């Protein structure tokens, strides 16, 4: 069977399809991102017969809807949304949705004498040389002849022959040819993506989530509202102030009842986990269908029966009902906020500490699943989710081919239970060899965004550790407000002593979170010098470097920051040995934290 067909259609035919709903445009309820200048340039290309690129559509099956009706046989636009929206706005006069989700008109003016298009301004609107809004001309039931006569009466000095030619060319936009590539309805996402990349001259990648969102929105008004639920949830998580815009400007969605489900986000202030639509769909695929691959989810929403390799209207209907149920679980205020509290209770309190969004996605799907099963206490659920998330961060479990890992893990959890699978992972991966060799080796890095440094920081936060050489200020407080990442063996001291490789002096094993005044007081002193200053203030009571006042406080500071006592005697010559010792202490610190979660 052919993977796709290619044909040319007239602009007028496309606009008729859009008006009748034969082409579904998923983007119509999302902010229109093109500037009016780009709309003008598109009209200029159509007017002059220049190519405007291919539109790519996906043939949709006729699927039963929740209310008993059918979705209708449609072509879903998966590339070219902005171009089609621009055409309907400029040529038909349809409103577009702006960044505040308010509807507005984009008016393009045309000068038949210069054959130029411009965004309408008050100045051009008063100038008789310009046709103020070409949609009035393009959608008029009147004749081109009548428009020409009106224009010439207002511009008696214009060249009549040139004006006639210009208006005829403008009317000819209706007949301009636009290429359409229609993809077969049974293609898998990988094939669709490959075709998309090869065709798209801009090299833009079509993601599986884009394909899924297109499939969801094609499912009549029901699917359109589910797509909006995803879009608006993600948008409000990042921009709570947009709630009033959405409620005022999308009355249909507000009336559906879905807006009430996410209204709580207008008061949300956390940015620890602000999912985008790809994240939401991944969580939904895991939670509702046990699927990690986006392509599998799209197939299920299409009604694909994996056993018979055929399409089932009933399966499609059931899949959408499942999708609605799990989306409402995902956007539920209690679920979402309890999950955030669970992650924060593991010490990961800031978005900058989390390097793997996929680890968060899986943890959220797991959290919702365990809550819904009702077999475990709240404390047991949170302990499992905390450990699973920390394990995922430390081992990079959901990097690389994460979709395969997602699916394998969720399937195994269904068979063995989350606690059993986690215990198996811990016995197989988090062995003594991991804590004593593998993790310390992974810490040979300069990246303070590495999961190893951030998990160490999370461990300090969870244990309420104070900053290095601090008596009162904690690592949590400095993460939330302001703190320095200090070189235990100062960088300039190392450089002046011959250690000039930044991959050496900037290793994370040489870093500790400190108060800014402490960092300034240490400056470029070698460890023996600044630690001796602390010893002196302990004996004299005269504070000159932080507020440490007793030997016990100094020892606690070393312990809470996993700093080896050998720091006192570390020089440039013994710096490598210090790094090795610190990495092992950090690893053991993380180990103790992990098994206490």
């Amino acid at each position: 069977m052919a993977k796709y067909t290619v044909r040319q259609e007239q602009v007028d035919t496309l606009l008729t399809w859009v008006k009748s709903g034969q082409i579904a445009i998923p983007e119509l309820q999302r902010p229109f991102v093109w500037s009016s200048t780009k709309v003008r340039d598109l009209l200029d290309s159509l007017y002059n017969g220049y190519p405007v690129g291919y539109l790519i559509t996906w043939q949709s099956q006729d699927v039963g809807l929740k209310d008993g009706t059918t979705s209708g046989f449609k072509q879903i636009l998966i590339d070219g949304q902005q171009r089609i929206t621009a055409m309907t706005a400029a040529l038909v006069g349809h409103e577009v949705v702006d960044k505040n989700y308010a509807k507005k008109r984009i008016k393009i003016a045309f000068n038949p004498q210069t054959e130029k298009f411009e965004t309408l301004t008050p100045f051009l609107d008063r100038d008789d040389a310009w046709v103020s809004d070409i949609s009035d001309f393009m959608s008029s039931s009147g004749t081109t002849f009548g428009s020409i006569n009106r224009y010439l009466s207002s511009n008696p000095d214009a060249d009549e022959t040139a004006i006639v030619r210009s208006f005829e060319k403008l009317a000819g936009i209706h007949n301009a040819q636009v290429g359409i590539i229609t993809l077969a309805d049974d293609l898998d996402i990988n094939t669709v993506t490959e075709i998309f990349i090869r065709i798209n001259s801009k090299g833009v990648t079509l993601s599986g989530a884009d394909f899924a969102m297109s499939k969801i929105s094609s499912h009549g008004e029901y699917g359109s509202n589910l797509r909006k639920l995803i879009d608006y949830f993600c948008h409000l998580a990042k921009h709570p102030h947009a709630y009033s815009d959405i409620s005022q400007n999308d009355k249909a969605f507000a009336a559906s009842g879905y807006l009430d489900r996410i209204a709580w986000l207008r008061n949300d202030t956390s940015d620890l986990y602000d999912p985008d639509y790809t994240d939401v769909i991944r969580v939904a695929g895991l939670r509702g269908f046990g699927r990690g691959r986006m392509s599998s989810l799209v197939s299920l929403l299409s009604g694909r029966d994996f056993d018979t390799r055929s399409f089932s209207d009933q399966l499609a209907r059931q899949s959408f009902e499942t999708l609605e149920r799990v989306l409402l679980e995902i956007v539920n205020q209690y679920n979402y906020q309890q999950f955030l509290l669970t992650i924060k209770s593991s010490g990961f309190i800031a978005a900058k500490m989390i390097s793997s969004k996929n680890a968060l996605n899986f943890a959220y799907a797991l959290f919702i699943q365990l809550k819904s099963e009702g077999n475990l206490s709240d404390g047991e659920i949170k302990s499992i989710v905390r450990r699973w998330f920390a394990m995922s961060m430390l081992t990079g479990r959901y990097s690389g081919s994460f979709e395969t890992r997602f699916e394998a893990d969720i399937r195994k959890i269904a068979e063995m239970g989350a606690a059993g699978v986690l215990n198996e992972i811990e016995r197989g991966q988090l062995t003594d060899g991991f804590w004593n060799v593998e993790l310390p080796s992974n810490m040979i890095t300069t990246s303070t965004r590495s999961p190893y440094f951030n998990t160490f920081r999370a461990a300090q936060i969870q244990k309420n550790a104070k900053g290095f050489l601090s008596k009162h200020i904690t690592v949590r407080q400095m993460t939330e407000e302001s703190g320095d990442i200090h070189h235990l063996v100062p960088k300039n001291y190392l450089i002046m002593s011959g250690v000039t490789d930044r991959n050496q002096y900037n290793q994370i094993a040489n870093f500790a979170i400190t108060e800014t005044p402490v960092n300034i007081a240490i400056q470029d002193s070698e460890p023996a010098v600044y630690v001796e200053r602390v010893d002196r203030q302990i004996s004299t009571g005269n504070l000159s470097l932080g507020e440490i006042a007793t030997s016990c406080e100094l020892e606690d500071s070393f312990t809470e920051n996993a700093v080896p006592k050998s720091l006192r005697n570390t020089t440039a010559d013994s710096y490598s040995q210090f790094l090795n010792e610190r990495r092992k202490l950090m690893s053991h610190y993380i180990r103790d934290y992990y098994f206490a979660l």
Side-chain angles (χ1 to χ4, degrees):
M1 181 178 178
K3 292 182 173 64
Y4 62 90
T5 59
V6 182
R7 66 186 189 280
Q8 298 285 325
E9 294 290 351
Q10 294 180 346
V11 167
D12 199 38
T13 301
L14 292 177
L15 296 179
T16 299
W17 286 349
V18 171
K19 285 186 281 187
S20 67
Q22 189 172 340
I23 284 187
I25 308 179
E27 298 288 346
L28 281 178
Q29 291 301 328
R30 301 174 103 185
F32 182 63
V33 299
W34 268 20
S35 65
S36 57
T37 302
K38 290 193 72 173
V39 178
R40 176 203 67 192
D41 292 345
L42 175 68
L43 268 293
D44 185 72
S45 294
L46 290 170
Y47 177 84
N48 288 295
Y50 299 149
V52 294
Y54 282 93
L55 306 178
I56 303 180
T57 65
W58 173 49
Q59 202 73 57
S60 170
Q61 292 285 337
D62 188 3
V63 173
L65 302 181
K66 188 178 182 181
D67 61 4
T69 63
T70 61
S71 64
F73 195 70
K74 291 182 179 181
Q75 295 181 73
I76 303 167
L77 198 62
I78 60 174
D79 184 50
Q81 291 95 335
Q82 298 293 313
R83 278 170 287 167
I84 282 287
T85 304
M87 289 182 201
T88 58
L91 300 176
V92 184
H94 282 188
E95 295 176 315
V96 299
V97 179
D98 67 14
K99 64 181 181 180
N100 296 319
Y101 294 92
K103 293 182 178 180
K104 69 174 186 178
R105 279 288 318 279
I106 294 178
K107 296 182 180 181
I108 302 298
F110 175 65
N111 189 325
Q113 298 180 56
T114 62
E115 297 185 87
K116 297 295 183 184
F117 295 88
E118 291 292 346
T119 303
L120 183 64
T121 63
F123 176 78
L124 294 181
D125 197 25
R126 294 190 296 270
D127 190 340
D128 289 336
W130 289 82
V131 176
S132 294
D133 184 357
I134 64 170
S135 70
D136 292 336
F137 171 78
M138 299 298 289
S139 60
S140 173
S141 58
T143 63
T144 303
F145 182 73
S147 298
I148 294 171
N149 282 341
R150 286 192 295 273
Y151 184 84
L152 288 173
S153 66
S154 300
N155 297 273
D157 296 330
D159 183 331
E160 182 175 345
T161 301
I163 296 303
V164 170
R165 185 174 62 247
S166 294
F167 271 102
E168 288 178 345
K169 281 183 67 177
L170 182 62
I173 287 179
H174 279 300
N175 303 318
Q177 299 289 305
V178 178
I180 300 181
I181 298 170
T182 302
L183 306 179
D185 64 283
D186 60 348
L187 292 181
D188 62 78
I189 286 180
N190 292 333
T191 304
V192 170
T193 302
E194 185 62 29
I195 293 172
F196 182 88
I197 292 171
R198 295 190 183 204
I199 292 172
N200 196 301
S201 60
K202 297 176 183 176
V204 178
T205 300
L206 178 69
S207 74
D210 293 325
F211 205 49
M213 290 289 270
S214 295
K215 165 48 79 178
I216 294 168
S217 65
S218 73
H219 207 66
E221 184 179 356
Y222 175 48
S224 177
N225 280 331
L226 290 183
R227 176 179 177 136
K228 289 181 188 179
L229 177 64
I230 297 170
D231 270 333
Y232 290 158
F233 174 74
C234 296
H235 189 72
L236 288 173
K238 295 182 177 69
H239 310 288
H241 62 275
Y243 174 81
S244 58
D245 294 325
I246 294 170
S247 61
Q248 292 171 17
N249 297 320
D250 195 341
K251 300 295 186 184
F253 181 74
S256 72
Y258 289 123
L259 183 60
D260 293 337
R261 302 298 190 105
I262 57 176
W264 61 270
L265 281 167
R266 60 186 157 182
N267 300 315
D268 177 60
T269 58
S270 173
D271 65 350
L272 181 66
Y273 179 42
D274 287 342
D276 58 27
Y277 66 87
T278 301
D279 300 316
V280 171
I281 292 174
R282 289 204 186 285
V283 175
L286 285 167
R287 168 67 189 102
F289 305 90
R291 300 286 179 172
R293 295 179 179 86
M294 199 72 74
S295 57
S296 298
L297 176 60
V298 173
S299 293
L300 286 167
L301 294 175
S302 301
R304 173 69 62 83
D305 188 315
F306 288 94
D307 294 326
T308 64
R309 297 188 179 183
S310 61
F311 286 96
S312 163
D313 181 79
Q314 182 180 1
L315 180 57
R317 188 182 301 111
Q318 291 172 348
S319 295
F320 269 90
E321 290 172 356
T322 299
L323 177 66
E324 178 189 36
R325 174 176 56 79
V326 298
L327 286 177
L328 292 177
E329 288 180 335
I330 290 167
V331 305
N332 177 269
Q333 180 180 9
Y334 181 80
N335 287 342
Y336 187 78
Q337 292 181 340
Q338 285 298 307
F339 172 68
L340 292 187
L341 288 174
T342 301
I343 297 300
K344 287 182 178 180
S345 69
S346 68
F348 289 90
I349 62 171
K352 64 185 178 182
M353 297 175 62
I354 299 174
S355 57
S356 173
K357 196 75 168 290
N358 283 326
L360 269 179
N361 291 337
F362 192 93
Y364 191 29
L366 177 62
F367 178 82
I368 296 173
Q369 180 165 322
L370 295 179
K371 293 284 286 186
S372 67
E373 289 173 355
N375 300 324
L376 301 172
S377 69
D378 183 68
E380 289 171 324
I381 291 172
K382 290 178 177 177
S383 176
I384 290 171
V385 171
R386 280 193 294 262
R387 284 158 57 204
W388 196 290
F389 177 71
M391 174 274 295
S392 302
M393 290 284 289
L394 283 173
T395 62
R397 191 169 186 82
Y398 300 120
S399 57
S401 302
F402 65 89
E403 287 188 333
T404 303
R405 176 64 73 180
F406 267 4
E407 202 151 303
D409 282 350
I410 206 71
R411 185 179 296 118
K412 207 164 188 179
I413 288 170
E415 296 171 357
M416 298 175 53
V421 178
L422 182 58
N423 182 259
E424 184 179 90
I425 293 171
E426 289 170 350
R427 286 187 288 108
Q429 287 188 260
L430 304 186
T431 61
D432 288 344
F434 175 82
W435 300 113
N436 294 327
V437 180
E438 185 177 342
L439 182 55
S441 177
N442 290 339
M443 288 182 178
I444 303 176
T445 176
T446 62
S447 175
T448 55
R449 291 186 56 81
S450 74
Y452 319 113
F453 185 75
N454 278 320
T455 303
F456 175 69
R457 179 188 287 202
Q460 288 190 287
I461 291 170
Q462 202 269 346
K463 293 182 177 184
N464 204 35
K466 292 178 280 294
F468 183 59
L469 298 184
S470 289
K471 183 175 181 178
H472 300 289
I473 307 299
T474 65
V475 173
R476 172 187 287 271
Q477 292 166 330
M478 286 188 281
T479 299
E480 292 175 334
E481 300 297 335
S482 176
D484 291 349
I485 296 178
H486 161 66
H487 290 77
L488 291 168
V489 183
K491 178 177 72 175
N492 287 340
Y493 160 73
L494 288 170
I495 292 173
M496 288 184 292
S497 301
V499 182
T500 57
D501 184 352
R502 68 177 304 277
N503 291 323
Q504 284 295 105
Y505 60 70
N506 274 344
Q507 284 201 26
I508 63 171
N510 194 28
F511 291 146
I513 309 299
T514 63
E515 298 175 59
T516 300
V518 171
N519 198 3
I520 293 173
I522 291 174
Q523 288 189 328
D524 303 331
S525 304
E526 67 177 288
V529 173
Y530 74 75
V531 175
E532 195 277 330
R533 285 178 60 190
V534 179
D535 289 337
R536 193 182 319 124
Q537 75 183 26
I538 289 171
S539 62
T540 64
N542 297 321
L543 303 182
S544 64
L545 200 166
E547 299 176 281
I548 296 291
T550 69
S551 297
C552 287
E553 291 171 354
L554 180 59
E555 184 173 347
D556 287 345
S557 185
F558 272 61
T559 301
E560 291 180 352
N561 288 275
V563 176
K565 291 185 172 61
S566 62
L567 176 68
R568 286 177 171 276
N569 306 311
T570 296
T571 64
D573 291 336
S574 59
Y575 176 62
S576 293
Q577 290 90 330
F578 165 78
L579 290 179
N580 287 332
E581 192 175 355
R582 176 97 197 288
R583 281 192 288 266
K584 288 181 180 178
L585 282 181
M586 291 172 71
S587 179
H588 291 168
Y589 191 98
I590 295 171
R591 177 197 61 195
D592 296 342
Y593 144 84
Y594 175 83
F595 286 108
L597 286 175

